[in-house]
Amino acid sequence: MSHPTASARHAAGTSTSDQPPTWAPAAPAIALLTALGVLMVGQTYTVLALLHPMSTALGTTPGQAIWTATAFGFAYAAGFLVAGPLSDRYGSRAVITAGLVAATAVTLAVSAAPNLPTAVALRSLQGLTAATFAPSALSYVVRHIAPQRRGTALTCITSGMLAAAVIMQIGAQAVAAGLGWRAVFSLSAALMALSLIPVGRVLRPTLRHDTGGGLVQAFAAMPQLVRRPRLAALYLSTVALMSSFVAVYTAVAIAGPPSVAGNSSAILALRAGALPALVAVPLLAPAFQRLVSPLRAVLAFALAALAVATGSFVGGHTVPLAIALLLFVAAVAAAAPAVVETINATAPHAGGAAVALYGCSMFIGASLGPQLTGALIGLGFGGILRVVAAALALGVLLTLPALRHRHIA
């Protein structure tokens, strides 16, 4: 065990007056937080692959069972707002650990839900507990990972969270086919419990600083952050990004060309086809770091808009559509960490609260995506994608103010 004074200095990731900062080892933290990102954020998407068996077992319909996803989503967004200030106050590792313990218990309870109302209530609690992870993980990177590795870490973690939409649905579908839908939640709970071991060994505790205002001050920082024009614009750009991400894949499923729409195998193939982008973008992160984060955000939004616009015209052909979606997902995977970095640089003294608002914005956007597609269904697949491309172009405009203040990144 290291000396207490040294441990505290390491935990803080900051320097004393006469010593340089000592950062936590990046590789094991990145690997652990990325894997946990897939598991925890993936709880959002597991039920999408389980609606039919769940509805049968709970004595309801798939349309009613979707409330297990909606309830999780609303609670998840609210949980972000709580987890960020808690992370600022008590440290990322402490919040991640407490969240994992709570999420393990609630996720196991979901596996035993006897009816739909109980399942909806438990999924709400699961959303609240799972939400403790993402803002705490991103805050850990900002506080403990060296600046030259920070961009790679944020890219890997956010890519894992995006990949969860595909990986966890595929995993849930496979487990449910062999063991039943309840086993999906039981297995998830077991993995959460086991992850407590590496969390305790890999992640460093954060040195707490009493600033006088305590937890109340941490929560009070949120409305102040939203009132800052550049930050508000970045949060709105995040809503545009994630609503576009979900809207595109919802459109593929319910309004796509005949070769894809209604064909579960084709839809799954298109989703899985985006996974190479989610692997490539983290590998290319060191090269991306040569550009300041606001510029990366602007370029990524522009690429996403161009890819979706192209997809709106080639949607009748599966292979060109798959390529367009691959570029689109790559752009989203590049934009998300760039926005996080820019937000943290803009509000360096309110990291947890700032990241919590970012996460809340992400999930608000993800929740709006299906509604956007549903509202535009009359325009057809191409029309929906052209509106989404316009929303992403708006994202370019929203990130431009940060580019004009490059010194913050």
Side-chain angles (χ1 to χ4, degrees):
M1 182 179 293
S2 60
H3 190 277
T5 302
S7 297
R9 188 165 57 246
H10 288 196
T14 57
S15 61
T16 61
S17 59
D18 57 351
Q19 295 226 343
T22 303
W23 302 103
I30 292 172
L32 174 61
L33 294 176
T34 300
L36 276 174
V38 174
L39 175 63
M40 300 302 285
V41 178
Q43 299 306 310
T44 310
Y45 307 102
T46 52
V47 296
L48 299 180
L50 305 174
L51 291 176
H52 287 286
M54 283 183 70
S55 62
T56 300
L58 299 177
T60 185
T61 65
Q64 290 296 314
I66 198 68
W67 278 102
T68 58
T70 303
F72 184 101
F74 284 129
Y76 196 76
F80 268 99
L81 299 179
V82 176
L86 288 176
S87 179
D88 276 343
R89 178 63 174 166
Y90 298 108
S92 300
R93 191 180 77 171
V95 175
I96 289 173
T97 300
L100 281 170
V101 171
T104 297
V106 176
T107 303
L108 189 62
V110 173
S111 71
N115 51 53
L116 181 61
T118 303
V120 169
L122 289 172
R123 280 282 288 175
S124 296
L125 290 176
Q126 190 191 27
L128 280 173
T129 56
T132 57
F133 171 75
S136 301
L138 298 176
S139 180
Y140 182 88
V141 169
V142 172
R143 292 176 180 271
H144 294 278
I145 302 300
Q148 63 268 27
R149 304 294 302 277
R150 198 171 293 159
T152 300
L154 289 171
T155 301
C156 289
I157 295 168
T158 54
S159 294
M161 293 176 185
L162 292 170
V166 178
I167 294 172
M168 290 300 285
Q169 285 192 68
I170 294 173
Q173 184 175 330
V175 171
L179 301 174
W181 69 268
R182 296 182 188 275
V184 174
F185 295 102
S186 299
L187 181 58
S188 293
L191 292 174
M192 291 174 191
L194 290 173
S195 68
L196 287 166
I197 298 173
V199 164
R201 291 180 176 178
V202 173
L203 302 185
R204 289 179 173 177
T206 302
L207 182 64
R208 287 174 54 182
H209 295 281
D210 277 324
T211 58
L215 193 58
V216 173
Q217 184 180 33
F219 283 104
M222 287 188 173
Q224 296 173 9
L225 293 172
V226 173
R227 286 196 292 267
R228 296 172 62 176
R230 288 202 300 276
L231 278 173
L234 289 168
Y235 292 134
L236 288 174
S237 75
T238 303
V239 173
L241 183 71
M242 291 309 298
S243 62
S244 298
F245 179 70
V246 177
V248 165
Y249 278 99
T250 304
V252 167
I254 68 174
S259 60
V260 174
N263 186 331
S264 59
S265 298
I267 293 170
L268 192 60
L270 278 177
R271 287 173 174 160
L275 287 176
L278 296 171
V279 174
V281 170
L283 293 176
L284 295 172
F288 294 160
Q289 294 304 304
R290 298 174 184 174
L291 302 175
V292 293
S293 57
L295 179 57
R296 278 186 279 126
V298 169
L299 293 176
F301 268 98
L303 175 59
L306 179 62
V308 173
T310 301
S312 72
F313 293 105
V314 302
H317 306 280
T318 305
V319 173
L321 177 60
I323 295 173
L325 290 178
L326 180 70
L327 292 174
F328 168 61
V329 171
V332 172
V339 173
V340 174
E341 287 182 66
T342 306
I343 287 172
N344 274 303
T346 309
H349 301 297
V355 170
L357 286 170
Y358 165 80
C360 184
S361 299
M362 281 187 70
F363 220 80
I364 288 173
S367 300
L368 291 175
Q371 282 71 31
L372 176 63
T373 297
L376 300 173
I377 194 73
L379 298 179
F381 182 71
I384 293 171
L385 262 60
R386 283 187 280 276
V387 173
V388 170
L392 290 166
L394 176 62
V396 174
L397 298 178
L398 289 169
T399 51
L400 280 176
L403 181 59
R404 290 198 294 269
H405 296 79
R406 292 191 300 274
H407 63 277
I408 66 172

